[in-house]
Amino acid sequence: MTKDAKRYYREIKTLLPSKCDCGKSVLESIKMRIMEIECATPKVTYDELCDTLGEPKTVISDYYSIVDVDYLVKKLRFSKRVRICSYLALVTVIACFFTVAAYYHQAYITANNAIIQLSKQEIINE
């Protein structure tokens, strides 16, 4: 794929947040269509792709007008739950790290204070 074709495909992929089966099939069909256009005209530009296939925003808006709304809402709620769980897991790991670090710091201070300081004693012979 040319640089402009990759750019067009990347913009479509960015605008399509749903990574479900139907979204993947749409991405695959768009990729196949881009490759077909490239075979016909090897030096295809971004503007030619937009003229042939449509602007990435209009392609995705057409896709969303066809897809079932309940299905999209379900996918968005699931992704929101995954994001929240990821944040909670990250906060838990960070909290555990600081707890262990505080424990080790306290153990270091205790061990440092427990070291017996040797002192010199001079014996004077008379």
Side-chain angles (χ1 to χ4, degrees), residues 84-101:
I84 289 172
C85 289
S86 299
Y87 290 148
L88 287 176
L90 180 65
V91 167
T92 303
V93 167
I94 290 172
C96 289
F97 172 76
F98 280 117
T99 302
V100 169

Side-chain angles (χ1 to χ4, degrees), residues 1 3-20 22-35 37 46 48-64:
M1 286 182 18
K3 186 177 178 180
D4 289 332
K6 286 180 183 178
R7 179 177 145 212
Y8 184 84
Y9 181 72
R10 187 175 50 243
E11 285 182 13
I12 294 246
K13 195 174 180 181
T14 302
L15 293 172
L16 187 69
S18 177
K19 304 293 185 226
C20 61
C22 58
K24 289 178 184 176
S25 65
V26 167
L27 285 175
E28 285 297 319
S29 65
I30 289 173
K31 190 173 188 175
M32 293 302 293
R33 184 74 176 117
I34 291 171
M35 289 183 166
I37 292 171
Y46 181 82
E48 290 172 353
L49 284 173
C50 287
D51 291 339
T52 307
L53 298 175
E55 291 286 328
K57 292 177 185 178
T58 58
V59 171
I60 298 303
S61 66
D62 292 342
Y63 166 73
Y64 281 134

Side-chain angles (χ1 to χ4, degrees), residues 99-113:
T99 302
V100 169
Y103 172 75
Y104 281 132
H105 181 70
Q106 186 63 34
Y108 170 76
I109 291 173
T110 304
N112 201 17
N113 290 338

